[in-house]
Structures are given as structure tokens and as C-alpha cells.
Amino acid sequence: MKELIAGLMMVAATAAVANELSIEELNAKHGVKGRVSFAEDAKGEPIAVLRDANGSCRVALRGAQVQSCSFAGDEHPLLYEPKTGYRAVPGARDFVHGGVPLLWPWFGSSGAPQFRSWWRRGLNALGCSFELEGPFHATARYSLFAVKNVSAEGDETSVTLVLGPCAEVSEYTPGEFELEYRITLGAHRLGLQLTTKNLGEEPFRYREGYHPYFAVSDCYAVTLSGVDGCVYESSRDLPCDVTHVWQGKVPEWPGCDLFKFKQPASVITLEDPAWKRSIVLTTTGARDVVTWCQDVRGTKGGMAMNILPEECRSYFCIEPSNFYPESEITLAQGESHTFETIITVKENAK
């Protein structure tokens, strides 16, 4: 037990020191000439920049959000970036759309702590719909991750970020944890590997997800394969009915902005005919996938966030996750769980 507590204190102390490093100190400690560097984004927050013969990738240390990724030789970027940048609209939700946000230790409202039932009844009686005690899409996105290490060997460049016990998470999620996130830039390949370890004595429960915003020619013109035979629910079928089984590819997006699939294939493929490319997601350690695009016909003036109305058809989200209650992860003391998605791009002959 003493060893465990000492190890936990060391992790927390290391993270605190690393988080306090200046950009100059980050570059001196972790920078690799021509491959890995550190800078500030438009908000003055630290970012890691991976750049090599494969292309470039930018990762915010705040929330471990991948902000951009482009591959050398590809006509279009892999990820959608909002023209307004990564700034939330004043007064709106803090969740900023674009890139690859990391959702942990819950997804959306799934697995989030709830107000006690009498609070919900009272709020609903007043016409309010606030049922979450914690923020939508969880708390890790508010936390400043530390840089654990970088790698620039062979044809891959990566950065590994780490998050230990912190106020943003502990306020809503009890327990002691270590969260390690490795982002890897390869040849037409982006790797996302998230490992959660329980450092405490009590079981640690959580849900998780990646929320990639893929750049597309038109979100209403893409198709999705890999969900054939999956039980699903969607915003097309409100109130939700989770007994439906999907058959074939997913077409006809207009009018439906959200699908949630249970136990899809480990390989999901997004086809973009206009850009003549396929985006392939290969996932291990997750049981669900959520897809989302903006139904612009029901959008008045665009989103109340950082995306302009004319951009709403420029992205499509495929979100590998442990979303449903039966997918929740429970770790005993000392146990860990790894959730990994490898994203590859195949550009078809023009």
C-alpha cells in the first residue's frame, strides 16, 4: 500500500511539474529537431506539433485535443478545422467542435453523474432540462495534460500525454487514476491510443470516446460501412427505440444527425465519392460507435458554437466509444484498459 501511495504521489508531482513547463522548457526537454516542437495556440495554450515526411499533426495539451492532421501528398486534410478556430462562442457550451476531442470519463451525457431524482423533477417542473451534474462530454477536456515522452524513430512520430488525479475530474469522478494518451503520425495514418489505469483501492468506473471531425466534401453525400447487422438508435426514431437492426450501408443523412450503434465491426469505413477517398477506422477496446453530422435544415444561423453555418456540411463525425451502460469499463486496483483507434486514409485513383 505504501508503494502504491508513493507511486501515486510521484505521478501527480511529475504531472504538476510537467504542466508548469514553459514552451521553451518543453522544446528543450521534449523537442526533436524537424519532428516535434511546442508552441502556443490562439488561446495561449501549449500545443505539440508533429511534423515529418508523412505530414503534420497538431495536439493541444489542454484536453489532449488533436486540432489538425494532414498527410503529405493528400489533396484534403484528414480532420476538419473550424474557420473560427478553437474558441468557444461566449455564453455557449465549452465543448469546441473540430479535430479530435477526447471524451473521458464519460461520453456526452452517457455515464455522467446526474442530479438526484428530486432535483430533476423540480427542474423539469420549472421547464428546465438541466439533468447533468457534470458537463456534457465530460471533464478531461478541461485538464492540462503533461508530456510524458515523444518518439521520432523510423517513419512514425508520436507524443504521449499523461493526466493524473486533478480537480476537473475528481470533482465528479471519485477514484485515483492515470490516463495515458499516445498520438502517432504515420504514413496516411493517425493512431490514437488511450490507456486508463486504476491507482486506487476502490473500483474505478468510466466511459470514453474519441470524437473525430473528418473533413468531407459534403456530409450528406458520404456512406458508412461496418455497421451492418448492428442494433442501433437514431434521432430519426424519436422517441429512441434500441431494438432496430441496421442493414447495409448508412445512406441518406439529410434529416438525421445522430446514430448510435452497438457492437459494430472493428473496421468502419467512410466513403467520400466526391473526394474519391476512404477513411478507415480500426478500433480495439471499444464496443460502440456514434456518428453525427449537423442537420443544417433545422439549424438557424448555424451552431451556437465555433462553426459557421456555411461550414456545417464540411465535416462528418465517427466516434468510437464505450458509450452504453453495458460498455462501461470497471477497473479493479492496479488494472488498466487500452482503447485504440487507427485511422488510415486511402485515396482512390482520380
Side-chain angles (χ1 to χ4, degrees), residues 18-329:
N19 282 341
E20 293 173 359
L21 295 179
S22 67
I23 296 301
E24 292 75 17
E25 290 169 328
L26 283 169
N27 278 310
K29 184 174 182 178
H30 297 292
V32 179
K33 187 175 181 179
R35 303 283 290 268
V36 182
S37 62
F38 296 86
E40 290 185 350
D41 65 9
K43 297 178 291 185
E45 297 277 11
I47 59 172
V49 180
L50 312 181
R51 191 183 306 275
D52 60 22
N54 297 311
S56 64
C57 177
R58 191 173 70 243
V59 184
L61 272 58
R62 176 73 64 184
Q65 182 169 353
V66 180
Q67 293 185 340
S68 68
C69 182
S70 296
F71 298 121
D74 287 3
E75 184 178 354
H76 305 286
L78 171 67
L79 301 175
Y80 162 80
E81 289 184 77
K83 291 181 179 178
T84 55
Y86 288 94
R87 294 177 181 270
V89 173
R93 294 183 310 176
D94 290 329
F95 184 69
V96 182
H97 299 254
V100 187
L102 176 65
L103 313 182
W104 186 96
W106 62 81
F107 185 111
S109 60
S110 179
Q114 305 283 322
F115 284 122
R116 280 182 270 180
S117 59
W118 65 271
W119 268 105
R120 283 207 301 270
R121 288 196 296 270
L123 289 169
N124 290 337
L126 294 173
C128 301
S129 59
F130 302 107
E131 296 187 355
L132 295 184
E133 183 181 353
F136 190 76
H137 278 329
T139 52
R141 60 195 172 94
Y142 299 113
S143 301
L144 185 61
F145 282 64
V147 179
K148 181 176 183 178
N149 57 57
V150 300
S151 175
E153 298 181 1
D155 63 350
E156 291 187 343
T157 303
S158 69
V159 59
T160 300
L161 306 179
V162 65
L163 180 68
C166 56
E168 297 88 357
V169 176
S170 299
E171 182 178 0
Y172 301 102
T173 304
E176 305 294 344
F177 65 90
E178 181 184 68
L179 187 63
E180 184 175 294
Y181 189 24
R182 186 170 189 258
I183 299 103
T184 302
L185 176 67
H188 300 274
R189 176 179 178 271
L190 178 67
L192 308 172
Q193 184 184 74
L194 185 70
T195 299
T196 304
K197 185 174 183 179
N198 182 8
L199 301 178
E201 297 182 6
E202 299 298 322
F204 187 79
R205 297 178 175 85
Y206 67 97
R207 302 182 201 180
E208 60 193 343
Y210 305 125
H211 197 304
Y213 286 73
F214 293 113
V216 295
S217 61
D218 185 342
C219 66
Y220 290 169
V222 299
T223 59
L224 193 73
S225 61
V227 294
D228 189 36
C230 289
V231 173
Y232 77 98
E233 57 180 310
S234 78
S235 54
R236 181 179 296 172
D237 302 306
L238 295 176
C240 294
D241 183 348
V242 294
T243 63
H244 294 304
V245 176
W246 191 269
Q247 302 294 336
K249 293 185 177 182
V250 182
E252 300 176 1
W253 293 110
C256 184
D257 65 351
L258 183 67
F259 278 89
K260 304 171 187 175
F261 296 97
K262 291 186 175 183
Q263 299 186 346
S266 60
V267 178
I268 302 290
T269 302
L270 176 72
E271 300 282 356
D272 190 337
W275 284 0
K276 297 183 179 179
R277 79 171 182 180
S278 304
I279 298 175
V280 183
L281 290 80
T282 303
T283 298
T284 56
R287 300 180 60 186
D288 311 306
V289 68
V290 177
T291 67
W292 179 73
C293 66
Q294 185 69 17
D295 183 1
V296 295
R297 299 182 304 177
T299 302
K300 296 181 180 179
M303 304 186 64
M305 282 298 295
N306 58 315
I307 297 178
L308 300 173
E310 60 267 26
E311 295 182 71
C312 287
R313 295 175 71 158
S314 300
Y315 62 87
F316 186 83
C317 297
I318 305 174
E319 305 154 31
S321 58
N322 286 302
F323 174 84
Y324 283 102
E326 57 267 33
S327 302
E328 184 172 86
I329 306 297

